[in-house]
Amino acid sequence: MPVDHDPGLDQLEAEAIFILREVAAEFERPALLFSGGKDSIVLLRLAEKAFWPARFPFTVMHVDTGHNFPEVIEFRDRRIAELKARLVVASVQEAIDEGWVQEERGPRASRNRLQTPVLLAAIARHQFDAAIGGARRDEEKARAKERVFSFRDEFGQWDPRNQRPELWNLYNGLHLRGEHMRVFPLSNWTELDVWRYIAREGLQIPSIYFAHEREVFQRDGMLMAVSPYLPMLPHERPFVETVRYRTVGDMTCTAAIRSTARTVQEIIAEVATARVTERGASRADDQFSDAAMEDRKREGYF
């Protein structure tokens, strides 16, 4: 069935647009979290369609670790300029320079966990009362526990055992000053839905999603990009491989996969037959423990 006549995709789009309009109606200072990845690119498109022809309705916020892929930063700036949206960059590097977060040391050091306090500080500084994210329930088991409107207390923390019920499409945005809501309009989407929507809408995406030659090295069964941010161990050797990325994140914890998919249609065919989830295949930060994502989310992670 052609993707432009897919009633399932139409239903997911309608649901997400309804949620985005609910956010605009219920909250005073919402922000849309943007990583430059495929999910937040779809969120931008849905927000455009939800309020067209009015101007883009949300402030866009990016938590920049300073170790992002340069192709993604270039894409972010170009896309935000096209939208004429307001961009807030929460910088991990600035937080390190100011001394209120401390960088990890060692060959396996990552700035991934430092994103949480930087995100929470930015939410408090700009008084955002809702942060819209692109998380999906099929990504990881902790994300499967989230409600669409997911409450965060005055410390930005999440309690998976104490969530509000959501009946049908009734969402409860009630919160006190200092508290906020995380909102996930793509909760019911799958990775394949996202790619099919990108194809249907003809959306641009960062070039790292397509197969290309890159200098990588193998660590813990994953292909990590050679970069100044991730020193190699003595036994690790660089080599050139044809790869692409299934997720976009910090270079120190985001791995590439071997692939020859150079078009969106080839990516759709690849994802349709994949036997490993995108985070299982490409995120070293989820391999620390069985509860790694849930631990980070409790602290206030995306």
Side-chain angles (χ1 to χ4, degrees), residues 32-45 62 68 71-73 75-76 79 134 136 186 194-195 198 203-206 208-209 245-249 278 283:
L32 190 150
L33 301 176
F34 185 71
S35 67
K38 60 186 183 305
D39 303 313
S40 51
I41 289 168
V42 167
L43 271 184
L44 288 182
R45 177 60 173 163
H62 180 219
N68 298 101
E71 298 97 324
V72 176
I73 298 299
F75 176 86
R76 178 200 71 186
R79 187 71 186 102
R136 310 184 321 267
L186 305 185
V194 168
W195 280 113
I198 287 171
L203 302 182
Q204 295 184 25
I205 55 176
I208 65 171
Y209 276 119
Y245 286 83
R246 286 179 73 178
T247 65
V248 164
E278 63 198 283
R283 293 304 292 261

Side-chain angles (χ1 to χ4, degrees), residues 3 11 14 18 51-52 67-68 83 93 109 117-118 139 142 163 176 181 196 200 207 218 228 233 264 266-267:
V3 292
Q11 179 62 37
F18 174 81
F51 299 94
W52 181 265
H67 292 172
N68 298 101
L83 286 173
Q93 184 62 59
V118 172
E139 288 182 82
Q163 299 192 76
L176 302 177
M181 205 70 67
R196 288 165 61 81
R200 186 173 86 170
S207 58
Q218 188 153 347
L233 299 172
V264 171
E266 288 175 354
I267 291 173

